[in-house]
Amino acid sequence: MTEFLTAPFPIRSVLIANRGEIACRIIATCRRLGLRTVAVYSDADAGALHVRLADEAHRLGPAAASESYLSITAIIGAARASGADAIHPGYGFLSENAAFVRACTEAGLIFVGPSAGAVQSMGSKIEARRIAEAAGVPVVPGFDGAGASTEDLAAAAERIGYPVMVKASAGGGGRGMRRVDRAEALAGALASARIEAGSAFGDDTVFLEKLIQAPRHLEVQVFGDGKGNALHFHERDCSVQRNHQKVIEEAPAPNLPDAVREKLFASALKLTRAINYAGAGTVEFIMAAGGSEPYFLEMNTRLQVEHPVTESICGVDLVEFQLRQAAGLPLPLTQAQIVPRGHAIEVRINAERPDEGFLPAIGRFHDVVPPPGLRFDSGVAAGSEVGTSYDSMLAKLIAHGADRDAARRRLIAGLEQLAMPGVAVNQAFLVDCLRADAFAEGRATTAFLEETFPDGWQPDARQLLTLRAQAATTLIDDAAGGPLRRTDGFRVTQPQRAGTVPLFVEDEYGHADLTLLFGPQRAVRTGDDMVTLDGPSPAVWRDGERIHAVAGGLALTLSARPLSEARVNARAEGQAAGQILAPLAGLVTKVYVAAGDDVKAGNPLLEMEAMKLVHTLLAPFDGRVGRVACAAGDIHGAKTVLIEMEEGV
């Protein structure tokens, strides 16, 4: 702390202009350094973990990011009210907004990051390409498109050669990006990309790049002193992606020739020095699989989500380095001292349903139990609520090992031990990714998910059956007046013969008829399939009439009832054709009908929205609306009964 107090730009208190896991991550470093922390929050985050961890917290505004985490006025006001010396932007939100950097400076606050000029120059992908070319950094063949007409872009696409990518100059995260395989589709792609870019970034400028199909996505962590000097902290591989969003990241990159590695470092440092960059940044590249020429893609002028893998292999704290640079203190390392050791892999834990096309999930965590011995950067804990207002990424799990396979195996084991009951997360899907041959052998490209799961991902059927049976067994073992204490649907004959419990079970993966067999050895039967329940018991949490169970990375929330009772009450369980179920967890935004309304097949009944996904639910047949169990503004979980209809009334 003394060092920061006597620094050229003293820092005593840091406001974190962010939320979730990155806010918690920054708070941890500040606390270790003895710096006071100030959190900011929206109404949706009033009880969030980062708010509880900080020394002080200030409300920004309503849940909408535009009125809270993206409000420069509100954040500067919170910094002044709290007496903060510095603002750390984290990543996302305002972290790459040059106007925010200028506003901080004008308010007499230290911005923990690069200058407004560096943010602005790299924020425009067209300008970044020009700077990179001028610095001698190879870029993907393309056409910048600034001020160009559709005809100019069409001519350029012919010169470049199809397929091409249309990209938003101010874009990121896959928005304003379109693949075009033939000339006839270019005009439509340009129009839609411009509309999306203008809406998302306030700038509809687009440009063209040659599409390098199924490339590797490589990047270099850099750190500049703002005086033309820069260090690199080696490279990462972030090739496993979905919709241009990273899923798994690792350092160093596997199966990368040293000659390519040196090209990456040289190019990244040339660009960093060319703009007199200050602070942490990431220079991203793509390279054809099996190729040897990496092309500059973009520079992110902030900390990256995947920074923990670099920290793990280099033994550094990049947030501390950011704070030191912002305070005017020198970095405590030279390039020769930055020596990578071992291998690290990170996975992003998202609130989503990979089995349902990665639909977002909502709910409340009953518990969050990280695996021992692994780094777990999290923005949630027991009791945390997950809504629809923000990004679905909740946490990151990072494993470090002496070599890549050791890290991969440790991460698989950690994912299998991680327990986050109450909200659907993607950990079982991540386990399957890490086990896939292409990943295990270090051959993953950006086409990894499509090639590994061509028909989409589903949980292993036997693993799901086993977990359902184990959860149901625990539920009825504990239930007072439950099936084991009933006479309907349950028979025990001679001691040497197994008792049977026919059950109807429901969970987020659907419903099934199971027969539990109780005898010398417990087993479960469904149809002709029977599985012995001789493995380790899952971790379980009771929640009224339901149970949360987690085992081997797979998690579910299950309810069970005697099969005979379930069949009698099928309509109450959402199995009847007249019940309209929520296809995803989300917010009901519009309800078009009321009880008693007559509707025709295909008429809209309601709309739901979750993290920018909008679903219109339609009447499945001609009939009358019986019960409307929702209203605009309600948040409902997946498979909740929203409307009941009667056919042909």
Side-chain angles (χ1 to χ4, degrees):
M1 178 63 176
T2 303
E3 193 175 16
F4 282 94
L5 289 176
T6 59
F9 308 104
I11 297 177
R12 302 168 184 82
S13 178
V14 180
L15 181 142
I16 298 101
N18 219 296
R19 63 179 300 279
E21 66 87 17
I22 185 56
C24 296
R25 159 74 186 89
I26 296 165
I27 289 170
T29 290
C30 289
R31 179 176 293 171
R32 181 175 61 79
L33 297 174
L35 301 176
R36 179 171 161 270
T37 56
V38 180
V40 291
Y41 64 91
S42 70
D43 290 343
D45 278 341
L49 182 60
H50 75 280
V51 175
R52 304 201 301 267
L53 291 177
D55 296 307
E56 185 177 333
H58 288 257
R59 176 184 178 273
L60 294 176
S66 60
E67 300 178 66
S68 53
Y69 297 108
L70 290 174
S71 173
I72 295 175
T73 301
I75 291 173
I76 297 295
R80 285 174 168 156
S82 67
D85 305 304
I87 292 182
H88 196 304
Y91 45 68
F93 293 126
L94 293 170
S95 63
E96 294 181 282
N97 186 305
F100 181 52
V101 181
R102 285 191 287 268
C104 290
T105 303
E106 291 167 4
L109 297 162
I110 298 169
F111 180 78
V112 183
S115 67
V119 171
Q120 187 162 335
S121 61
M122 290 297 107
S124 165
K125 289 183 170 56
I126 290 176
E127 181 64 18
R129 281 174 57 90
R130 292 172 177 169
I131 293 171
E133 286 183 296
V137 176
V139 300
V140 179
F143 178 69
D144 68 27
S149 66
T150 298
E151 291 73 20
D152 293 334
L153 289 163
E158 291 293 341
R159 291 195 301 270
I160 296 167
Y162 289 94
V164 298
M165 288 293 290
V166 177
K167 290 186 174 182
S169 178
R175 289 175 291 179
M177 186 180 294
R178 299 289 186 275
R179 171 177 173 158
V180 185
D181 291 297
R182 61 188 191 283
E184 308 86 77
L186 181 63
L190 288 169
S192 63
R194 283 169 171 156
I195 291 170
E196 187 174 44
S199 174
F201 312 112
D203 181 352
D204 66 357
T205 305
V206 297
F207 66 103
L208 299 180
E209 279 186 349
K210 175 69 178 175
L211 176 64
I212 299 177
Q213 302 192 59
R216 295 185 69 176
H217 186 121
L218 305 167
E219 60 188 36
V220 178
Q221 177 72 62
V222 295
F223 211 102
D225 66 359
K227 302 173 184 177
N229 302 309
L231 302 173
H232 73 77
F233 288 78
H234 298 268
E235 86 285 357
R236 301 185 285 252
D237 188 310
C238 307
S239 298
V240 179
Q241 302 178 6
R242 184 180 67 82
N243 294 337
H244 308 289
Q245 294 288 324
K246 298 164 187 174
V247 176
I248 304 174
E249 301 108 342
E250 60 181 308
N255 300 324
L256 191 69
D258 287 341
V260 174
R261 189 170 277 117
E262 292 304 319
K263 288 179 182 178
L264 288 172
F265 299 159
S267 291
L269 291 176
K270 282 180 184 178
L271 183 64
T272 306
R273 291 166 179 151
I275 58 173
N276 292 324
Y277 190 78
T282 299
V283 185
E284 304 200 0
F285 301 84
I286 57 172
M287 184 179 75
S292 60
E293 294 299 327
Y295 294 107
F296 169 72
L297 187 63
E298 64 182 355
M299 183 177 187
N300 289 306
T301 54
R302 54 172 167 77
L303 201 65
Q304 292 278 91
V305 175
E306 56 271 23
H307 75 275
V309 294
T310 294
E311 293 181 326
S312 296
I313 66 167
C314 294
V316 298
D317 182 334
L318 290 172
V319 174
E320 177 183 350
F321 284 10
Q322 286 184 299
L323 292 166
R324 289 182 62 86
Q325 190 279 328
L329 296 169
L331 289 182
L333 293 174
T334 64
Q335 188 67 68
Q337 293 173 307
I338 304 172
V339 180
R341 291 178 174 84
H343 200 97
I345 308 176
E346 170 185 294
V347 291
R348 301 187 184 194
I349 309 296
N350 296 339
E352 63 188 11
R353 294 285 306 277
D355 61 305
E356 294 281 358
F358 297 91
L359 290 175
I362 62 170
R364 181 179 66 85
F365 283 108
H366 289 262
D367 207 349
V368 175
V369 184
L374 270 64
R375 177 171 171 175
F376 184 63
D377 286 10
S378 176
V380 293
S384 292
E385 297 277 353
V386 177
T388 61
S389 300
Y390 309 114
D391 188 82
S392 63
M393 194 187 80
L394 306 175
K396 303 175 302 194
L397 188 62
I398 305 99
H400 181 260
D403 56 36
R404 184 173 187 270
D405 198 53
R408 185 182 68 89
R409 290 178 183 276
R410 288 193 71 203
L411 189 52
I412 290 171
L415 282 167
E416 291 180 330
Q417 295 174 67
L418 173 66
M420 302 179 71
V423 180
V425 295
N426 61 335
Q427 67 190 90
F429 160 74
L430 293 170
V431 169
D432 286 349
C433 289
L434 294 171
R435 283 185 172 144
D437 289 345
F439 186 85
E441 296 165 7
R443 296 185 287 102
T445 69
T446 56
F448 170 80
L449 293 185
E450 292 81 0
E451 293 171 356
T452 305
F453 309 107
D455 300 318
W457 179 86
Q458 292 293 322
D460 178 79
R462 185 160 288 250
Q463 184 184 9
L464 178 59
L465 173 60
T466 300
L467 183 57
R468 279 175 164 167
Q470 289 173 322
T473 299
T474 302
L475 189 63
I476 64 176
D477 277 350
D478 293 346
L484 287 179
R485 294 170 175 83
R486 301 173 67 103
T487 57
D488 57 323
F490 178 58
R491 297 290 182 269
V492 175
T493 55
Q494 299 175 17
Q496 68 270 26
R497 295 183 61 187
T500 63
V501 183
L503 293 175
F504 175 80
V505 300
E506 283 189 293
D507 53 50
E508 48 266 70
Y509 294 105
H511 57 88
D513 296 348
L514 304 181
T515 300
L516 300 182
L517 307 176
F518 292 85
Q521 194 170 44
R522 291 189 173 187
V524 59
R525 184 175 64 236
T526 177
D528 297 328
D529 195 13
M530 188 167 76
V531 176
T532 301
L533 304 180
D534 53 4
S537 298
V540 296
W541 291 259
R542 288 298 300 262
D543 180 18
E545 296 301 313
R546 303 181 303 167
I547 193 166
H548 302 284
V550 183
L554 186 64
L556 53 78
T557 300
L558 178 138
S559 62
R561 64 192 314 172
L563 184 58
S564 57
E565 182 180 322
R567 286 173 175 164
V568 169
N569 295 289
R571 291 191 67 84
E573 294 298 325
Q575 300 306 308
Q579 292 191 319
I580 310 303
L581 308 182
L584 72 166
L587 174 73
V588 176
T589 52
K590 292 181 182 179
V591 178
Y592 295 107
V593 296
D597 286 356
D598 292 328
V599 295
K600 296 290 187 181
N603 285 168
L605 302 176
L606 61 88
E607 283 186 1
M608 290 192 74
E609 179 178 344
M611 298 176 187
K612 301 179 182 178
L613 295 173
V614 178
H615 285 243
T616 301
L617 307 189
L618 308 177
F621 47 70
D622 295 350
R624 180 169 296 164
V625 177
R627 182 173 71 101
V628 178
C630 63
D634 290 351
I635 294 177
H636 290 274
K639 303 188 186 301
T640 303
V641 178
L642 302 176
I643 291 176
E644 293 180 346
M645 288 182 56
E646 299 176 52
E647 189 171 6
V649 176

